[in-house]
Amino acid sequence: MMLDRLLAKKTDFSNFDSGDGPCLKRTLGPWGLTALGIGAVIGGGIFVITGQAAAEHAGPAIVLAFIIAAVCCSFTALCYAEFATLIPMSGSSYSYAYATLGELVAWFIGWNMVLEYGVSASAVAVSWTGYFTSLLDHMGMHLPPALTNAPLAFMDNHLVATGALFNLPAVAIVLALTWLCYVGIRESSGVNTFMVMLKVALIVIVIVAGWHYVDPKLWHPFIPDAQGPEKYGWGGIMRAATLVFFAYIGFEATSTAAQEAKNPQRDLPIGTLASLAICTVLYIGMAAVLTGLLPFDQLGTAEPVVTAVKAHAELGWLRWLVEIGALIGLSSVILVMVIAQPRIFMIMGRDGMLPPVFSKIHPRYCTPHINTVITGIGIAALAAVFPLDILGDLVSMGTLIAFCAVCIGVLILRRTRPELPRTFRVPWAPVTCVLGVLSCLMLLYWENWYNWTLMGLWTLIGFAIYFGYGYRHSKLRGSAQTR
C-alpha cells in the first residue's frame, strides 16, 4: 500500500560512518558541544527580540514569557538527550522522526529544519546589521540606509517595498562565516568556543553593571493592562513567549554534530541540557535589567540593549562592550547554524531524499562543503531581502513542529523498541513527553493567521520536492524492493 511506503521507518542507523569516501572527524567533547549549543542560542533573542517583545506585547512580564518558553524547551531538551544516545548521527530530529514516525513525516520535519537552522541564521544576520550600524555610528561612520535595510517590509498584514536595495552587512557576515565552516569543524568550533566565552562574559558584565541602575518602579505594573488580544495582559505574555521562543532555538544544534562528537552517547545529553540551562539564566537576567533601566515601551528598537544603556550616562562606557558583544554573539549564532544545516542536508542526501551531491564530503577539509556553500548562499539571499519579523516567526513555527515530533517519537520508541540501550532516559517519559507536545501546541496557537499561511506555502513546496524526487529515490524503499 502507498500509505505503508510513505510511513516506512528506518531502523538501521549502524552504518552512518561507513561508506565510500571521507568521513566527518570526531573532534568535539562535552565542552565543545555545550559551547556549540550556547553559540547557537544566545544571539538575536537576547540582543534584539527581548526589547521588541517587551515593548509590543509583555512589558516587564517579558521575564514570564522567557520562563514559559524555557519550560517548553526543557521538556523537548530531555527528549533530544534520550534520542541522541540512541541515534548518535547528524540528522537530529529528521533522523529521530525517520525511526519512529516514518519517511513522509521525517521529510516534513527535515524540511521544517531548514526554517530552524537556515532561515533562523538569516534572521540573526538581519539583527547583526542593527548593531553593526550602531557601532559604525558610534565611530562616526555611516552606511547609506539603502544598503542596511531589507527591500521588503511587513506592514498591515502585507508586504510592501521599502526603497532599500539590500542588506549588505548581513550578506557579508554570512558569507565570511560560510567560508570558515567550509574549511573545517575543528576551526569552526574553536572560533565558536572563543566567541561564546567572550559574549557570555560581556553579558554578565552588562547584567551586573546595569543592575545597580535598575529602577524597580519600572517593573510596576509587572503585567500591564491588556490593550488587545496580543498587547499586554496574559494574551500579550503568551504572544511574547512565541516570539522569545526564537531566542532558545539552537540548544538542540548539538545533535547535528553527533558524528563529530568523541563520545556522543555521553557528551550530547550534557551539551544539550547544559547549554539550555545556562542560556535561560542569562536571558532572565538580561530581561529584568533591560525593563528596569528604561520604560518597556521604549525598548522596541533594532538594538534595545544599546538603547537601554544610552539612557544612563553612567553606563556610557558599556555601549562599546554591548555593541561588540552583540556582534560577537550574533556571529556565533550564524556560525553554528551554518554548521548545522549542511549536516541535515548531508543525512537527507544519504537517505536518497535529496540528490547525491548533497552527501559529498570534502576530501581535505572533511566537511559537507557543497552543502555549506548552498546553505551560505541561501542564508545570505534571505537576509538581503527579508526583515526580521517575518523570518523570526516562521523559524519558531518550524521548530515547534519539529519539537512535537521529537517528543512523540520518544514515546513511540519506548513502546516499539524497549530493548535498545539508553544511556540517558527521559524522566517520567509519559508525562514529560505529553507536556512537551502540549506546550509546543500552546505556543503554536498564538501564531497569527499570516504566519500560518506562509507555513502552509512552505509545506506545499516541501511536499512538491519530496514527491518529485525524494519519494522516487528513497534508499530505504529501494532496498526494501530489492530484497
Side-chain angles (χ1 to χ4, degrees):
M1 294 176 62
M2 182 176 182
L3 182 60
D4 292 335
R5 294 195 294 270
L6 290 174
L7 298 180
K9 299 178 179 65
K10 185 176 181 180
T11 58
D12 182 13
F13 293 91
S14 60
N15 63 341
F16 51 78
D17 270 335
S18 62
D20 298 330
C23 297
L24 301 175
K25 292 181 180 179
R26 294 192 176 275
T27 61
L28 300 177
W31 291 110
L33 289 168
T34 300
L36 199 67
I38 296 174
V41 173
I42 297 180
I46 200 168
F47 293 114
V48 180
I49 293 180
T50 300
Q52 295 178 352
E56 299 171 11
H57 299 288
I62 186 66
V63 172
L64 294 180
F66 271 114
I67 293 173
I68 292 170
V71 169
C72 173
C73 290
S74 64
F75 294 135
T76 310
L78 293 170
C79 296
Y80 267 99
E82 177 168 324
F83 260 128
T85 67
L86 288 171
I87 309 174
M89 62 185 303
S90 297
S92 188
S93 52
Y94 160 77
S95 295
Y96 308 157
Y98 215 156
T100 58
L101 300 173
E103 183 176 281
L104 181 64
V105 178
W107 169 265
F108 176 64
I109 298 301
W111 184 242
N112 282 331
M113 291 181 72
V114 177
L115 293 176
E116 182 177 356
Y117 295 125
V119 180
S120 70
S122 300
V124 174
V126 173
S127 303
W128 191 92
T129 297
Y131 280 92
F132 180 69
T133 55
S134 176
L135 179 62
L136 290 182
D137 291 343
H138 200 178
M139 299 168 62
M141 296 183 289
H142 309 281
L143 286 175
L147 295 178
T148 58
N149 290 290
L152 299 174
F154 183 61
M155 298 178 62
D156 299 327
N157 292 328
H158 62 277
L159 287 174
V160 297
T162 64
L165 296 176
F166 68 100
N167 193 329
L168 176 61
V171 172
I173 187 61
V174 169
L175 295 181
L177 294 175
T178 297
W179 171 82
L180 182 61
C181 294
Y182 185 97
V183 300
I185 185 66
R186 181 186 294 274
E187 292 77 8
S188 303
S189 177
V191 172
N192 177 66
T193 300
F194 169 76
M195 289 194 293
V196 165
M197 293 174 62
L198 194 55
K199 73 178 177 182
V200 168
L202 291 173
I203 290 169
V204 171
I205 291 173
V206 171
I207 293 173
V208 173
W211 193 263
H212 294 287
Y213 298 93
V214 163
D215 181 2
K217 295 179 181 179
L218 295 177
W219 291 333
H220 299 285
F222 187 67
I223 302 178
D225 293 335
Q227 299 179 15
E230 296 183 355
K231 192 172 181 66
Y232 310 137
W234 277 102
I237 292 173
M238 295 308 301
R239 176 60 179 142
T242 67
L243 293 177
V244 302
F245 176 81
F246 174 80
Y248 285 101
I249 292 173
F251 70 86
E252 80 292 352
T254 54
S255 61
T256 66
Q259 288 172 244
E260 289 146 297
K262 296 176 182 177
N263 187 349
Q265 281 84 359
R266 182 199 67 185
D267 297 343
L268 285 173
I270 294 174
T272 301
L273 297 173
S275 59
L276 178 60
I278 292 170
C279 293
T280 298
V281 172
L282 294 176
Y283 278 159
I284 292 174
M286 181 67 87
V289 168
L290 288 184
T291 53
L293 288 176
L294 194 67
F296 63 84
D297 57 358
Q298 299 179 28
L299 291 172
T301 66
E303 56 283 331
V305 184
V306 169
T307 302
V309 167
K310 283 165 53 177
H312 295 265
E314 303 88 343
L315 295 175
W317 60 275
L318 265 183
R319 180 176 174 180
W320 287 100
L321 288 178
V322 168
E323 290 169 338
I324 295 173
L327 291 176
I328 294 172
L330 296 169
S331 297
S332 70
V333 175
I334 300 169
L335 177 65
V336 175
M337 296 307 181
V338 178
I339 290 174
Q341 183 62 67
R343 285 150 180 81
I344 303 296
F345 284 151
M346 178 189 71
I347 297 299
M348 296 175 78
R350 289 181 178 180
D351 288 338
M353 297 289 102
L354 293 173
V357 68
F358 283 89
S359 61
K360 299 293 184 181
I361 303 292
H362 195 284
R364 175 184 174 187
Y365 299 126
C366 297
T367 59
H369 57 301
I370 297 176
N371 290 344
T372 300
V373 172
I374 293 172
T375 298
I377 292 174
I379 291 171
L382 288 175
V385 175
F386 290 101
L388 175 64
D389 49 1
I390 293 177
L391 296 174
D393 277 329
L394 274 178
V395 169
S396 294
M397 294 184 72
T399 305
L400 285 166
I401 292 170
F403 282 7
C404 284
V406 172
C407 293
I408 295 171
V410 167
L411 289 179
I412 292 176
L413 215 57
R414 285 282 188 97
R415 183 176 180 85
T416 59
R417 301 294 300 276
E419 78 285 357
L420 291 176
R422 293 166 169 84
T423 56
F424 178 88
R425 296 177 66 88
V426 175
W428 308 293
V431 175
T432 302
C433 296
V434 169
L435 288 176
V437 173
L438 291 177
S439 59
C440 290
L441 292 177
M442 176 185 67
L443 293 180
L444 282 169
Y445 172 79
W446 287 94
E447 293 286 355
N448 60 45
W449 68 268
Y450 184 79
N451 293 326
W452 279 109
T453 302
L454 292 178
M455 190 67 194
L457 292 174
W458 177 260
T459 300
L460 289 176
I461 293 171
F463 281 145
I465 296 173
Y466 171 72
F467 287 107
Y469 183 89
Y471 179 79
R472 294 184 293 110
H473 294 85
S474 167
K475 292 185 178 180
L476 176 64
R477 188 177 302 104
S479 62
Q481 291 174 349
T482 57
R483 286 200 295 267

